[in-house]
Amino acid sequence: MPTATIAGQEVQINDEGFLTEYDEWNEAIGAELAANIGVEMTDRHWEVIRFLREDYQEKGETATTRRVQTVGGFPTKEQFVLFPKKPAKKMAYIAGLPKPHGCV
């Protein structure tokens, strides 16, 4: 498994750059990952990311945009505003989670 240094910490990543070890993530890493893809984090962004991480711990899989809306309470339109174009993929990347199986 490849490794990368993100926010001064060596982490395991896959071929697409997604973190592969849940416990290696922290908010400094999330902030650097967001900057890498042009997402400027606000408090609302962090609320979504924290929901994704908590939901992943409970369910064992990355939430889709539909689940983020219905369970997390973050409307799909807002997800597209916060994380333009491919919100599910971008949210998972920043949260240090695997890519979701489906976009919805």
Side-chain angles (χ1 to χ4, degrees):
M1 200 53 74
T3 61
T5 302
I6 303 170
Q9 184 176 330
E10 191 165 309
V11 294
Q12 305 279 327
I13 58 170
N14 66 15
D15 294 337
E16 294 181 90
F18 284 79
L19 271 66
T20 59
E21 298 297 323
Y22 180 87
D23 292 330
E24 290 182 345
W25 185 92
N26 60 46
E27 288 192 7
I29 288 172
E32 189 168 316
L33 291 171
N36 290 347
I37 59 171
V39 174
E40 194 171 315
M41 299 297 282
T42 65
D43 289 343
R44 189 64 169 166
H45 286 86
W46 286 116
E47 289 176 33
V48 175
I49 297 305
R50 289 182 191 115
F51 165 76
L52 277 172
R53 290 195 52 86
E54 290 170 14
D55 190 67
Y56 183 85
Q57 267 194 314
E58 289 177 23
K59 296 290 183 187
E61 62 183 50
T62 305
T64 61
T65 54
R66 182 171 289 139
R67 182 169 176 80
V68 173
Q69 175 177 282
T70 58
V71 178
F74 302 97
T76 302
K77 285 184 180 183
E78 182 181 13
Q79 293 175 52
F80 274 89
V81 170
L82 293 171
F83 306 94
K85 297 188 179 158
K86 295 185 178 184
K89 184 176 179 180
K90 289 180 177 182
M91 293 184 297
Y93 177 76
I94 294 167
L97 302 173
K99 225 172 28 173
H101 293 292
C103 58
V104 291

